[in-house]
Amino acid sequence: MSEELERLLGLLDLERVEEDIFRGVSRTSLVPRVFGGQVAAQALVAAGRTVPGERSPDSRLRASGGGRNAHSLHAYFLRPGDPGASIVYTVDRIRDGRSFTTRRVVAVQHGQPIFHLSASFQEYEEGLDHQDGMPPAPDPETLPTAAESLPGYEDVLGPDVVRRLLEARAAVDLRYVDEPPFASVGAPRQARSQVWFRTNGKLGAEPAGSLLHLCLATYVSDMTLLDSVLLAHGRGGWAVGDVVGASLDHAMWFHRPFRADEWLLYDQESPSSGGGRGLGQGRIWTRDGKLAVTVIQEGVVRVPRG
């Protein structure tokens, strides 16, 4: 396991302050606020740790007891997070039913809520099963790594931004199928983007579909989802500075078990943008073609004035 992946796992290993109160820290990001994927992942950790039987002494993040795993989350980003301050997560135990458990989480900094999350957990059961077919994509091993591709964009981004991008993604092996938005500034393209991703290191015996894998996918899901909005308008994005943006809301549905340390295809598109907002929707597939996760996010996407 890489050192950066160990740091990411440490970031998700929240301190328990009280029975339903947790504290987390942040890592630096490309913009002067807490990375949205981090807050969402930490909030899901907090929610999951209040589901009966979730905590296990031999693992920092174990699946919910009795097979009751997260199947969906819905979240709103309320205020920019301060990366220099800890984040307190308060969990409200909304319901513990026979099949479903519901939790609400509020993330607070400096006495103000910065993020709300609702998550639902379900006891495993058999049922009707179907899915769409997986879209075509090249094998991930044929694509360049971030360390191989990002230095080629130093003339567009600058050496400092490239360095920070490499640091922000060091725990995750994320490979673009086509060029990222900042590679073709000024040239609108189809509002669709694909990336392959997996953690930079194996996660041991942690079972597929456990809270650990779901939280890591939640973390990564916010990295590239609005890329398709930028592509539609030939904008390079936050790293280039030709748009100003931030996540507004984020929803995920976990359909089938997966491992975050095995290759996952993130197929993303934008059906609409307008009013200073852009909508991105994505689906995450296992390498053998199983639809694992559906993601939808709306974000602020504004052209800077002046």
Side-chain angles (χ1 to χ4, degrees), residues 233-301:
H233 302 278
R235 297 282 167 172
W238 348 114
V240 173
D242 60 355
V243 295
V244 177
S247 301
L248 289 172
D249 59 9
H250 197 86
M252 301 180 72
W253 292 265
F254 303 102
H255 307 302
R256 294 171 181 83
F258 63 90
R259 294 188 62 87
D261 57 359
E262 295 178 354
W263 284 116
L264 297 166
L265 177 67
Y266 197 5
D267 186 72
Q268 304 149 93
E269 62 180 352
S270 174
S272 178
S273 65
R277 306 182 315 278
L279 185 69
Q281 56 189 31
R283 296 193 288 183
I284 298 176
W285 305 80
T286 63
R287 194 170 185 177
D288 60 355
K290 293 184 177 66
L291 178 58
V293 188
T294 296
V295 191
I296 297 180
Q297 181 184 90
E298 188 173 47
V300 173
V301 184

Side-chain angles (χ1 to χ4, degrees), residues 208-258:
S210 71
L211 187 63
L212 173 61
H213 295 288
L214 271 57
C215 290
L216 287 167
T218 300
Y219 180 88
V220 178
S221 70
D222 191 36
M223 284 185 172
T224 60
L225 187 51
L226 295 182
D227 279 2
S228 51
V229 178
L230 304 176
L231 291 171
H233 302 278
R235 297 282 167 172
W238 348 114
V240 173
D242 60 355
V243 295
V244 177
S247 301
L248 289 172
D249 59 9
H250 197 86
M252 301 180 72
W253 292 265
F254 303 102
H255 307 302
R256 294 171 181 83
F258 63 90

